[in-house]
Amino acid sequence: MIVAERKPVEEIKALIAGHGTVCVLGCGTCVTVCLAGGEREVAVLAGALRCGNNGHFSENTIERQCDAEFFENVKDQIDASDAVLSMACGVGVQMAARLFPNKPVYPALNTKFMGVSDKAGEWSENCLACGDCKLGIFGGVCPVTRCSKSLANGPCGGSTKGRCEVNPEKLECGWQLIYDRLKSLNKLDTLAEIAPPRDWSKTHAGGPRKLSREDVAGL
Amino acid sequence: MTLPKTKPVKSSARALRQNVAILGGGIAAMTTANALAGRNYKVSLVFSGAQLGGNARAFPELFGHIGNDLKQSKEQILSTITNLEMQINNQRSIELFPESTAASVKGEAGNFKVMVSSQGKTFRLSAGAVVLAAGTNGIGAQNKTGLTLGKNLIAFSSLLSMIREGKTPKKTAFLLDGAAEQDCATSAAVFSCALLLAQQPKTSSTVFCKNARVAAFGMENLYRRARNAGVEVVKYDSLTLQRETAAGIAVITRDTIADKELCDEFETVVYADRSADSPRIPSITGLKTAPDGSLQYDNVWLLPAQTNRAGIFTAGASRGITELREVLNDGLAVAGQVHDFLRQGQLVASKDAANVDAEKCALCLTCLRICPVSAISIDTKNKAATVSPYECQKCGACAAECPALAITLPGFSDEQIQKKVGDKPKTIVFACENSAIPAMQGAGKLPASVAVITVPCAGKVDPRAVLQALHKGANKVMVLGCHPESCRYLSGGSRASKRMERLRETLDKAGFNKERVVFGGLAALETGRFLEYVSSNQTMAGQVFSPHPGAAS
């Protein structure tokens, strides 16, 4: 899922300063699941902003802010507001901005990464959406994401006791994980093959990516 | 006239099977089995060895503190095992499953299904309660030296085999307290072994430790006997090992008593910390362990032997009870608590357990992960979380954390709380019924400006309810719950304290005086502390909060 966290409240206050009524809009999908922008977080943020006399706030949470149709139910509420404070990821914020061209739309969250939840209250980045998945040859551990340097052919010299030199306390060495996993699968020989340079044009380096499915499109 | 027939009340109770599966075959398992059989329960003992007795039977040399010399100690421990075994064999209600391991414990309190693999066969045992008594991996199982075991650095168990085969190393070092400070039983084992070596001709041994633990009956005596026989003891604060020296392996330490660096070479170094984790336990969903790996979550309400899951108990080393005499007594304590659970006969489904609105559930799994008693699971058919009415303790932590507001605790819904908050300016105290409410009982009449709202646990208090109270005009909102380490629902107190801290920070940054929201921990007897909390609030009286005009509530 997409993992996000609430921006510092000071930053949010600065964004919405000067607006009359602000619609705090939650999203019911990824950011609800990662406890950053669901119905509860909307109520807490709006409630706290009200307590600090930061303006008028209305609240709502829709199913997904990445699909235009779900905004139908909140159209009137947004029309009646002076600005939207979106508690969705960056995708949802942009959809809201696209749908309400005359309405300022502000982000209440910082979108962090695509990742897993390790346990209650903890998340880790696992995918960079590089567009050319090679997990099949790396034992199901992504070198692009889990190695701080996105190395494709083994670890750098900064791997010590399974930890990454970029932040030994927090980060495991991605290549150690790949090695351990392939070892337990008895497939270490896979690593003898040199992985060719990655085609970075398939990543965001090739510009914002588009995807179309002609079999689904139409009408 | 005939009265209309009343419909029979549908039974919403689950019978508790009156039998117990004990996983383990050591002294803790044996004493628990005997005590339970004495209370007329059917007991299944599932253990990996061919014989009962566990680590004590495997290594009877390691109990040097229970007798006057090693020989007598060994005889004594073996006769203890024999006596326990005789008692077990005399109990018809105890069934033995030797050379068996339990892979998983599934099912629910009162009706567990233990999957057992035994000599190539797999079968299922049903049991009303489960006792985890498989101990730990034993001494030296977890080598934390950073060096791989090999010629000179060996496991504790390998050393014992060498001694038995007569291949005694000439110069041996024991490393204790490498990962964490060790307990008496580990000290007893290491000093017994060091003494055993010292008694052989032309051998010597040194124990490196941060503290020699002697706080058990007979330990001081064992320690002195070991020293008199020539065992050296070095108290260190830092220690490094260097491999491939002329004599074998070098131990470099700073001796804290002599205050100097020491470097000595040994033929053999033995890593002797007791492994904290218990990898031999079967997979059990939702078992919350203590930070040190003990199977019992660290909370006073679970004492003596209960885990966080109803019907699952732990005995002996798996919850840190390792010294022989304590282990021998442990069986009675465990059996008593198992009996308290099973003698209820049935678990009645509570009508006011937390309930989930399946439509709203986002399947984020937060409730399932934070439920202290693991009463929540996912209903794959409904695609929503579901709460077991038999296991739910009605603490409300899930309802206060659900990001989609899908969970309600009957009696404490948003509307019901809001109604209790009312709308007059005052101090609202959300008071935990296990600590703050009893503490309040002796407090006499409270000022009229203080309104107390009873909650089942501080962990039930929703930040939204606090904000609503402020909004309705409360000049201060207090959340008073158990001290975090003794919360009735394990983690509710600490959860509430951290949750309120986050809210206070949010309010502070939003431009609101955060001191108007307070979390306080107290025990049921601390009436004085309750009054302190409530009266400190009086300083805030008069500063009536006025919400922004026109703001929605």
Side-chain angles (χ1 to χ4, degrees), chain A residues 6 9-10 13 28 32-33 35 38-41 43-45 47-57 117 119-120, chain B residues 360 362 364 366 369-370 399-405 462-464 467 471 502 506-507 509-510 512 545 548-552:
Chain A
R6 194 176 69 202
V9 179
E10 298 98 315
K13 272 169 65 177
T32 293
V33 172
L35 316 180
E39 204 172 339
R40 168 178 304 285
E41 288 301 305
V44 170
L45 179 62
L49 289 170
R50 272 186 209 116
C51 280
N53 289 341
N54 293 291
H56 302 242
F57 299 91
S117 60
K119 53 183 176 178
Chain B
K360 296 192 83 178
C364 72
T366 305
R369 288 171 178 156
I370 70 163
E401 203 74 64
C402 174
L405 312 183
D462 187 330
R464 287 155 56 252
L467 289 166
H471 222 256
R502 183 172 192 258
T506 304
L507 283 167
K509 298 289 160 25
F512 184 80
F545 167 66
H548 192 273

Side-chain angles (χ1 to χ4, degrees), chain B residues 140-141 143 145 147-155 158 243 269 271:
Chain B
N143 161 33
T145 57
L147 299 175
T148 42
L149 296 179
K151 192 166 153 250
N152 304 114
L153 179 66
I154 62 170
S158 315
R243 235 179 188 159
V269 168
Y271 181 75

